[in-house]
Amino acid sequence: MNTIRVLPEKVASQIAAGEIIDRPASVLRELIDNSIDAEANRIVVKIEKGGKALIRVTDNGLGMSRDDLLLCVERHATSKIETASDLYCVKSFGFRGEAIPSIASVSRMQIISRTKDQLSGHRLRIEGGKLIAIEETGAPTGTTVEAKSLFFNMPARRKFLRAIQTERDHVLDVMVRAGLPFSRINFRVEDAGKTILNLAASNGPLPRLATLMGRDVAESIIEKKEKVEGLSVSVYLAPSEFARSRGDRLFIYINSRYVRDRLVTKAVMEGYGQRLMRGQYPQAVIFVEIDPSKVDVNVHPTKQEVRFHDSRSIFQTIASTVEKAFPRSTHTFTASAQGNENFSQQKFAASVSEPAWRYSQGDGPLPHSTKPNMEEGSLVREGPQPIGQLRGTYILCQTKDGLLMVDQHAAHERIVYENLKKDFQTSQIAVQILLVPYKLELSIKEKNTVLKKMDRLSHYGIELEHFGGNTFLLRSVPALLENVEWNSFITELIAELGEDKTDEIRFLDKTLKVMACHGAIRAGHNMTQNEMAHLLEQLEEMDLPTNCPHGRPIIKHLTFYEIEKMFKRVV
Ligand SMILES: Nc1ncnc2c1ncn2[C@@H]1O[C@H](COP(=O)(O)OP(=O)(O)OP(=O)(O)O)[C@@H](O)[C@H]1O
Ligand SMILES: [Mg+2]
């Protein structure tokens, strides 16, 4: 006996609908896509009960004739592509001819539409996928699609809908995200007759960023555009102090389509570089305009994922646009805590691939001395004056505009890191041979890591010798590292490097970070006035004086205005 049977059309369309439509917000996303494809410049959304009872989208776009109206509720009926090859250069949001029939199969739907050439419009009613009526009616040019009682015929699905407030939030979220690239379109959302969101038409996305990210963030957004062949990237970046532990405020658009994409996310993080702490995500909006034939949008039923043909060049262009967006502040201590230009990974890669480091062994002057200047009175400084130290940890500094607090460890970590890096880049790594080699007892796991990485570490001035069993001798270290507790330095380095193979750039970066952290002065270390001044002076010379190599902020600024506000001298 046969056990396989063809499903009835109604069940098949409900299954298909389930992939695209799972809540009111996904109905809205599809309807807005259609209105944008129909070239509307005004879109009004009405919802009731968070969209569970009603979602109505009215646009002033091209509209549909009576015949098109009848066709649009059929599956795989679309005006947007004709042949299979069109699928590989889709310029519109829609192309499958599935959204309207899917919504129609799980709701009570009504569409009213009129084209500008028609004298009157038509109203079509369809319930649970069954055509009820089509009739002539008076209507303005454009289309109104209304979906009532979502999932009325699928109780199991309906049960999964959340509270009204939650569904409404999702609806608003979809609206704001979808609206961002279309600043020329006026979007309005009404809930039970009250306007809850109005995105007025404007010249660019900036006014809408405030709705998406809040005012504070929008006001400090950094913008950058970059064009290479067949690809244009515009980024709107919030400074790293607004970074979050979730990536929910990183908005990515490929040809104006909102997508979730790991490659673009990684590229943005790469561009932020050391401005971000580990595990943090920036708030940012990334618009990528790419030749449609170079991206596949037909990857996921909700079209929220894409695949790039040349993901490498996308990655590089986005990462470098983000990196270049951060201005190089001329004066660290008067500029706000924004980033400076980051070092170029490519340049860096070129220099580390040369294995022949030149060691200047101890006797000549060191290429860079990071030791804070110890001689009292030897320094005449302009600019910020240190006025004291808080808990032996923060340098307090008076500036023209107010008070600076500088985390001394983070600041020195940055200085040691960049100086070491420069030394490596110019093959000028100074090495000190330890007079008495330092004896290290390691665990078996650590021993194995060291045995594998020993040769590579020696390129960076760290000479380890296997002494038998789990014992190693540390024979030399980079001369820039002073007052380091070698045991914890080596064990942290081993833990960081781990057993896995890392490429040369990451290997060096990890090594430098551990070196910088252990070589930098600690919190709780008291400093003299001149030591503090010298540290600040060096910090000012750094490429990225605002963040330590792990992304922690170095400087916080309180302006006199903020201080006076605190004391109610100004209101
Ligand atoms: N608001 C609208 N204004 C004008 N025409 C519309 C509108 N909504 C739908 N249509 C027409 O109905 C057709 C079917 O819409 P539907 O959303 O089902 O499919 P699609 O947009 O072509 O593809 P997809 O399923 O990928 O969204 C569209 O191709 C379009 O011609
Ligand atoms: Mg569509």
Side-chain angles (χ1 to χ4, degrees):
M1 197 184 86
N2 290 348
T3 51
I4 301 178
R5 66 191 69 92
V6 175
L7 288 174
E9 175 61 27
K10 200 176 147 204
V11 181
S13 32
Q14 281 189 355
I15 292 172
E19 288 186 0
I20 305 172
I21 307 300
D22 61 350
R23 64 187 340 157
S26 44
V27 173
L28 182 68
R29 191 178 54 229
E30 293 295 340
L31 297 182
I32 291 173
D33 279 2
N34 283 346
S35 296
I36 295 172
D37 280 346
E39 300 171 21
N41 63 16
R42 200 180 62 241
I43 297 174
V44 180
V45 179
K46 290 193 182 184
I47 57 167
E48 275 169 26
K49 300 221 159 90
K52 293 197 268 189
L54 167 81
I55 305 171
R56 182 189 298 146
V57 175
T58 302
D59 67 50
N60 62 351
L62 298 171
M64 283 179 274
S65 66
R66 184 181 189 277
D67 289 349
D68 277 352
L69 204 50
L70 279 166
L71 265 179
C72 83
V73 292
E74 296 289 330
R75 296 193 57 202
H76 311 301
T78 179
S79 56
K80 300 171 191 175
I81 60 169
E82 278 180 27
T83 62
S85 57
D86 291 348
L87 208 49
Y88 301 100
C89 53
V90 182
K91 293 204 177 72
S92 52
F93 280 139
F95 54 86
R96 294 188 179 152
E98 272 189 328
I100 297 275
S102 295
I103 302 166
S105 72
V106 295
S107 70
R108 300 193 166 96
M109 189 185 229
Q110 172 172 280
I111 310 177
I112 301 170
S113 195
R114 180 166 81 87
T115 64
K116 70 175 180 355
D117 308 328
Q118 289 175 304
L119 291 176
S120 63
H122 290 87
R123 179 201 320 264
L124 176 144
R125 282 199 296 129
I126 179 166
E127 290 193 1
K130 191 164 172 291
L131 185 67
I132 307 284
I134 178 153
E135 62 210 11
E136 206 172 313
T137 180
T141 308
T143 304
T144 296
V145 182
E146 175 181 293
K148 277 187 173 166
S149 324
L150 188 63
F151 300 129
F152 77 97
N153 52 351
M154 292 178 84
R157 260 287 155 106
R158 197 169 170 82
K159 256 197 257 161
F160 278 102
L161 293 181
R162 297 296 188 80
I164 291 174
Q165 178 66 41
T166 313
E167 295 299 341
R168 186 201 292 133
D169 288 348
H170 281 284
V171 162
L172 283 176
D173 198 47
V174 161
M175 185 68 263
V176 173
R177 280 168 204 252
L180 197 63
F182 296 98
S183 41
R184 62 179 172 81
I185 305 179
N186 168 215
F187 294 93
R188 202 171 77 227
V189 182
E190 291 175 14
D191 180 11
K194 262 186 27 209
T195 299
I196 54 168
L197 179 73
N198 188 14
L199 302 175
S202 65
N203 274 335
L206 278 174
R208 287 186 187 175
L209 281 180
T211 321
L212 204 61
M213 298 172 156
R215 245 198 70 186
D216 280 1
V217 179
E219 275 171 6
S220 53
I221 283 285
I222 304 160
E223 243 183 284
K224 179 91 185 163
K225 288 189 173 55
E226 198 97 319
K227 255 191 176 161
V228 295
E229 215 193 306
L231 179 68
S232 128
V233 175
S234 310
V235 300
Y236 295 82
L237 311 171
S240 55
E241 64 229 51
F242 293 106
R244 293 155 72 89
S245 54
R246 294 198 308 140
D248 59 341
R249 295 268 179 91
L250 176 54
F251 303 96
I252 300 165
Y253 295 85
I254 311 293
N255 291 343
S256 305
R257 187 191 301 274
Y258 173 76
V259 297
R260 294 198 200 96
D261 191 86
R262 283 186 55 192
L263 177 99
V264 179
T265 304
K266 274 180 89 177
V268 175
M269 311 278 283
E270 177 88 8
Y272 268 80
Q274 291 178 359
R275 291 176 185 84
L276 286 179
M277 281 165 63
R278 195 184 273 184
Q280 281 201 323
Y281 294 85
Q283 298 197 43
V285 180
I286 314 292
F287 295 116
V288 178
E289 290 298 317
I290 179 172
D291 179 343
S293 65
K294 295 196 170 133
V295 60
D296 187 358
V297 288
N298 190 18
V299 178
H300 193 266
T302 60
K303 304 178 195 124
Q304 287 194 68
E305 284 171 32
V306 293
R307 223 169 270 150
F308 299 105
H309 294 193
D310 183 3
S311 43
R312 224 182 121 89
S313 87
I314 303 274
F315 184 92
Q316 274 167 358
T317 311
I318 294 173
S320 87
T321 312
V322 171
E323 192 185 308
K324 284 187 214 150
F326 292 99
R328 202 188 159 79
S329 49
T330 45
H331 204 294
T332 311
F333 298 119
T334 49
S336 66
Q338 301 246 318
N340 276 352
E341 217 158 300
N342 213 343
F343 68 90
S344 145
Q345 293 279 7
Q346 275 74 26
K347 234 174 27 192
F348 205 14
S351 74
V352 294
S353 59
E354 292 284 331
W357 302 115
R358 186 150 43 85
Y359 290 175
S360 72
Q361 301 212 333
D363 42 11
L366 299 182
H368 299 280
S369 170
T370 68
K371 215 202 283 176
N373 193 328
M374 305 299 276
E375 273 174 61
E376 284 293 334
S378 67
L379 211 65
V380 184
R381 271 185 60 79
E382 283 182 4
Q385 297 300 323
I387 50 175
Q389 212 185 358
L390 190 63
R391 266 208 189 161
T393 302
Y394 304 100
I395 300 171
L396 303 180
C397 206
Q398 180 176 313
T399 68
K400 262 198 350 251
D401 333 306
L403 174 73
L404 274 183
M405 287 166 279
V406 178
D407 181 323
Q408 68 194 42
H409 172 71
H412 198 212
E413 213 177 349
R414 163 58 54 191
I415 295 165
V416 176
Y417 174 87
E418 285 197 17
N419 284 337
L420 278 169
K421 198 179 76 200
K422 275 177 204 141
D423 290 352
F424 282 120
Q425 282 173 332
T426 50
S427 308
Q428 290 277 326
I429 174 73
V431 167
Q432 58 168 312
I433 313 260
L434 298 179
L435 280 180
V436 184
Y438 189 87
K439 208 162 155 191
L440 294 154
E441 287 297 332
L442 303 179
S443 69
I444 296 184
K445 197 170 165 227
E446 289 170 335
K447 170 188 146 180
N448 291 334
T449 310
V450 171
L451 286 176
K452 275 190 205 144
K453 315 260 157 147
M454 234 158 58
D455 286 351
R456 283 169 94 184
L457 282 174
S458 74
H459 284 308
Y460 305 121
I462 300 167
E463 207 79 55
L464 281 158
E465 183 190 315
H466 191 195
F467 195 62
N470 291 346
T471 311
F472 285 81
L473 294 181
L474 179 63
R475 291 208 168 270
S476 76
V477 291
L480 268 180
L481 301 185
E482 294 168 66
N483 305 324
V484 171
E485 216 281 87
W486 296 118
N487 202 41
S488 68
F489 167 67
I490 294 291
T491 35
E492 192 185 328
L493 189 61
I494 297 167
E496 250 329 294
L497 296 177
E499 291 234 26
D500 43 297
K501 285 189 188 137
T502 32
D503 63 49
E504 208 57 37
I505 295 179
R506 290 208 188 287
F507 190 93
L508 175 55
D509 200 55
K510 283 179 176 180
T511 308
L512 288 183
K513 278 181 185 160
V514 179
M515 284 183 183
C517 186
H518 284 260
I521 46 165
R522 305 265 130 201
H525 169 92
N526 289 329
M527 296 173 82
T528 66
Q529 198 79 3
N530 273 347
E531 284 175 321
M532 293 189 270
H534 185 59
L535 187 86
L536 296 178
E537 223 165 46
Q538 286 183 298
L539 183 63
E540 225 163 340
E541 299 297 313
M542 295 297 115
D543 286 338
L544 184 63
T546 50
N547 299 78
C548 85
H550 304 100
R552 279 204 301 116
I554 294 175
I555 307 163
K556 287 285 167 195
H557 196 194
L558 260 184
T559 61
F560 282 124
Y561 180 73
E562 286 164 327
I563 295 170
E564 289 187 327
K565 257 187 116 173
M566 275 196 266
F567 290 99
K568 308 273 182 235
R569 283 174 174 269
V570 293
V571 277

